[in-house]
Amino acid sequence: EKGGYDYFMLKEIAEQPKAVADTLLGRIDAAGSLTLDELRISAAELREVDKVVIVACGTAFHAGLIAKYAIEHWTRIPCEVELASEFRYRDPILDPRTLVIAISQSGETMDTLMALRHAREQGSKVLAICNTNGSTIPRESDAVLYTHAGPEVAVASTKAFLTQLVACYLVALYLGQVRGTKWGDEIQAVIRDLSKISCEVERVLETMEPVRDLARSLAAKNTVLFLGRHVGYPVALEGALKLKELAYMHAEGFAAGELKHGPIALIEQDLPVVVVAPSPRGRSVLHDKIVSNIQEIRARGARTIVIAEEGDEAVAPYADHLIRIPATPTLLQPLVATVPLQVFACELATARGNEVDQPRNLAKSVTVE
Ligand code: F6R
């Protein structure tokens, strides 16, 4: 049932190109328009939306953080992202023009379910992004967009996360399409790139051997830090979460711009720091900034592990280890940048003798609050 792999997690990491392609299937037509007829929220209702609120937990929350960048950039609708466990307890401001998006692989996470019930009581429409047909969260939502990752068995989420990102991009693009905001060449190009992205994920998977070697060489470390900017920041958070869950190591993700406000004090000789570098094209300001962040931590002894686009030469002199990913539009980069971090965490867990598919103290779906 593990299809020749030692662990479900390895199988599920390998299934990601297909999971991504399946989640896109039938949702983009030949002319590059999105057809999300399955959404039971009408285009007229979507045109009325004046705020989006995303609620989710864990890895699904990280997908939500990335979705915020896409939704605000492509639709100009303000978007908030909140941990489902915090949401309900602070009397959030919701009304019928708020679209609430609940992201959940299992569809059974109690905190997310309670958050969506609360939102519906306030009259907001709830759209579920979910991987499990007929589960509670989509049943109780106004609409659902299913991710087609197939069953995810390993406790640590991998393919579900990538498909959650795809679903979030589709929702963001669809909102832009029905509202006619910013609907231009950039969006058409992104849709074209999105429809080819599963091949790029495949290419990343083919180059993971050095990442495995690197992970094994770090098995005796106690701490790994992760830094990113823009959409690379939630990717850093996700990399850190995977490492905590699987390798039981102290791992933290930071926005690289926050370094000087505290975390840089943690940097010491030989501390591994993974940096997700934004694309050098387009947003070059961000890229310049990450190059200086890498220089700053390296000058203080950090061992820098840099995830950077092919062709990004500016980071190379400061990277002790360079992990290459294909060039993608800025907002889509998490689809390729997360994969090496999953492989990294999985290999480190194995090297430390941990049970990969069933990490200690964790359950696949958390049905208590
Ligand atoms: C991390 C992980 C968890 C889940 C979280 C939400 O690898 O799997 O953080 O993402 O418990 O679960 P769902 O998506 O089922 O609501």
Side-chain angles (χ1 to χ4, degrees):
E1 51 183 35
K2 292 181 195 147
Y5 292 91
D6 290 344
Y7 309 107
F8 280 108
M9 186 176 174
L10 287 173
K11 172 170 176 268
E12 289 163 5
I13 288 174
E15 283 170 349
Q16 293 186 110
K18 181 172 187 308
V20 164
D22 287 351
T23 301
L24 287 165
L25 196 69
R27 289 169 171 169
I28 300 177
D29 71 17
S33 292
L34 300 170
T35 44
L36 298 186
D37 301 338
E38 61 211 286
L39 286 193
R40 297 182 303 255
I41 303 180
S42 71
E45 281 170 301
L46 290 177
R47 275 192 284 273
E48 292 297 307
V49 169
D50 65 4
K51 183 169 81 170
V52 176
V53 174
I54 302 178
V55 289
C57 303
T59 288
F61 171 71
H62 297 154
L65 291 176
I66 293 165
K68 173 186 166 81
Y69 290 86
I71 289 171
E72 292 195 340
H73 182 68
W74 290 331
T75 72
R76 308 310 296 159
I77 306 171
C79 175
E80 294 168 16
V81 192
E82 190 150 349
L83 290 166
S85 55
E86 290 292 323
F87 180 68
R88 190 160 60 99
Y89 299 102
R90 63 166 183 91
D91 195 12
I93 301 167
L94 298 161
D95 65 35
R97 296 181 67 175
T98 310
L99 175 65
V100 173
I101 304 180
I103 309 176
S104 176
Q105 188 286 128
S106 62
E108 302 295 348
T109 300
M110 188 54 73
D111 283 316
T112 310
L113 179 62
M114 297 311 272
L116 85 82
R117 282 185 185 159
H118 182 78
R120 291 195 73 198
E121 279 162 18
Q122 313 299 307
S124 299
K125 290 269 185 218
V126 177
L127 165 64
I129 291 180
C130 184
N131 195 47
T132 311
N133 254 296
S135 55
T136 312
I137 288 172
R139 271 204 327 268
E140 293 206 14
S141 298
D142 296 283
V144 55
L145 186 65
Y146 280 108
T147 49
H148 296 303
E152 194 179 59
V153 177
V155 166
S157 188
T158 54
K159 61 178 181 170
F161 176 69
L162 256 63
T163 61
Q164 283 161 356
L165 291 178
V166 169
C168 288
Y169 293 133
L170 288 172
V171 169
L173 291 164
Y174 188 68
L175 275 172
Q177 179 174 293
V178 298
R179 297 163 67 94
T181 33
K182 273 206 141 188
W183 205 254
D185 293 348
E186 181 201 333
I187 305 284
Q188 291 303 328
V190 165
I191 292 177
R192 268 197 308 278
D193 287 320
L194 191 56
S195 53
K196 290 182 300 201
I197 204 85
S198 72
C199 304
E200 306 297 351
V201 177
E202 185 75 61
R203 287 219 290 137
V204 177
L205 288 172
E206 285 161 7
T207 57
M208 286 299 95
E209 211 40 57
V211 175
R212 287 192 196 95
D213 295 341
L214 171 66
R216 282 192 295 270
S217 76
L218 299 175
K221 295 281 182 194
N222 296 318
T223 302
V224 181
L225 301 184
F226 294 77
L227 301 177
R229 304 189 81 110
H230 195 258
V231 289
Y233 167 44
V235 171
L237 295 177
E238 175 61 6
L241 178 61
K242 287 284 100 87
L243 206 61
K244 284 176 204 157
E245 288 182 286
L246 294 158
Y248 316 150
M249 289 167 86
H250 170 227
E252 277 194 77
F254 298 108
E258 275 292 292
L259 267 177
K260 55 186 171 300
H261 302 291
I264 200 159
L266 292 169
I267 307 291
E268 57 189 18
Q269 197 59 38
D270 261 349
L271 177 78
V273 183
V274 179
V275 185
V276 184
S279 162
R281 300 159 296 112
R283 309 250 164 150
S284 56
V285 188
L286 273 186
H287 188 267
D288 293 348
K289 291 217 150 75
I290 209 98
V291 174
S292 14
N293 296 142
I294 302 170
Q295 285 174 287
E296 280 157 14
I297 56 170
R298 200 158 184 262
R300 289 163 179 78
R303 184 150 152 204
T304 57
I305 302 164
V306 182
I307 300 183
E309 272 190 6
E310 285 159 2
D312 178 352
E313 296 312 326
V315 294
Y318 314 108
D320 294 307
H321 306 272
L322 196 51
I323 301 171
R324 290 295 189 186
I325 52 173
T328 55
T330 306
L331 284 165
L332 302 188
Q333 196 200 46
L335 287 171
V336 290
T338 307
V339 177
L341 301 180
Q342 300 166 340
V343 173
F344 182 73
C346 186
E347 193 67 33
L348 251 163
T350 318
R352 288 163 72 92
N354 298 351
E355 173 54 63
V356 171
D357 287 336
Q358 287 284 341
R360 66 185 181 199
N361 309 339
L362 293 174
K364 184 65 185 161
S365 60
V366 184
T367 52
V368 289
E369 269 188 275

